[in-house]
Amino acid sequence: MDAEDPALIARRLAELRLEHRDLDVAIERLIVDTTADELAVKRLKKRKLWLKDCIARLESALIPDEPA
């Protein structure tokens, strides 16, 4: 993937945001389920945090550099 192509970055951002939202829903469902595996919930939360970091990096890549 070309790190400089804003269209590719925007598309990847959309994919990551969708996965982040899907994980949010899955985590909420597991939390409500009293028989849910606590380790699975922790793993999903960790993945969700990783996605958030990736989203933040890509968003900052879309911000144009300003000359000093």
Side-chain angles (χ1 to χ4, degrees):
M1 175 167 84
D2 183 11
E4 298 298 317
D5 187 1
L8 290 176
I9 293 173
R11 185 174 54 200
R12 182 68 179 141
L13 263 172
E15 293 168 358
L16 292 176
R17 286 179 179 143
L18 180 62
E19 184 178 352
H20 189 269
R21 279 191 302 268
D22 290 345
L23 278 176
D24 201 29
V25 171
I27 290 168
E28 288 299 320
R29 286 183 184 160
L30 283 174
I31 289 173
V32 170
D33 183 9
T34 57
T35 62
D37 182 17
E38 208 172 307
L39 183 60
V41 173
K42 286 182 181 182
R43 287 181 178 155
L44 290 176
K45 285 182 177 182
K46 193 171 193 174
R47 172 73 178 173
K48 186 177 165 193
L49 285 173
W50 180 81
L51 286 170
K52 185 177 177 182
D53 289 342
C54 289
I55 290 168
R57 277 194 302 275
L58 288 175
E59 285 174 340
S60 68
L62 286 177
I63 299 171
D65 293 334
E66 291 184 16

